[in-house]
Amino acid sequence: QVQLVESGGDLVQPGGSLRLSCVASGFIFSRYAMSWYRQAPGKERELVATITGAGSSTDYADSVKGRFTISRDNAKNSVYLQMNSLKPEDTAVFYCNARWTTAKRVYDYWGQGTQVTVSS
């Protein structure tokens, strides 16, 4: 069955760094665009960063550009989010998402989330 398992969330001080990881199984990883979303308390889930299946293109929310970097290793079925210069407003549950869009349907999978808390 399909699984996305995130890890790396933690409590970190403002200005600190974290690296989130997401390991996928149960589908052909390289076909899927991978994204990180986040959801802060009382807010809607928002897209943070996306990387294409081959890893050739990335996109970021304006709020994280220059601070976060998404990458993937298709040999390890893994996607990563390097987060630097963290701010208290980055506090959220971060979710890994896999999406493959075909002519007939969209395949869309989610992980369970990992908590990131930025606080002194």
Side-chain angles (χ1 to χ4, degrees):
Q1 71 278 22
V2 171
Q3 276 195 310
L4 294 173
V5 180
E6 302 102 330
S7 62
D10 205 347
L11 170 63
V12 63
Q13 292 188 343
S17 297
L18 279 177
R19 188 189 195 217
L20 305 184
S21 299
C22 172
V23 180
S25 60
F27 60 96
I28 301 174
F29 184 73
S30 59
R31 284 184 177 173
Y32 286 69
M34 298 300 297
S35 299
W36 288 96
Y37 286 74
R38 67 184 178 185
Q39 187 165 20
K43 295 189 176 181
E44 292 188 355
R45 192 172 295 190
E46 65 169 347
L47 178 62
V48 174
T50 298
I51 187 166
T52 54
S56 55
S57 180
T58 58
D59 196 19
Y60 297 91
D62 287 343
S63 58
V64 307
K65 279 181 182 176
R67 299 188 299 123
F68 290 10
T69 302
I70 189 171
S71 62
R72 66 190 295 160
D73 184 340
N74 286 350
K76 295 182 178 180
N77 282 8
S78 296
V79 62
Y80 310 98
L81 187 68
Q82 177 66 43
M83 305 187 293
N84 299 327
S85 303
L86 282 162
K87 305 175 181 180
E89 51 264 42
D90 293 317
T91 296
V93 178
F94 281 71
Y95 297 91
C96 177
N97 170 262
R99 182 168 297 153
W100 179 38
T101 302
T102 72
K104 293 188 176 182
R105 64 172 284 189
V106 177
Y107 296 82
D108 197 41
Y109 306 127
W110 293 89
Q112 83 290 347
T114 186
Q115 176 70 49
V116 172
T117 302
V118 184
S119 174
S120 54

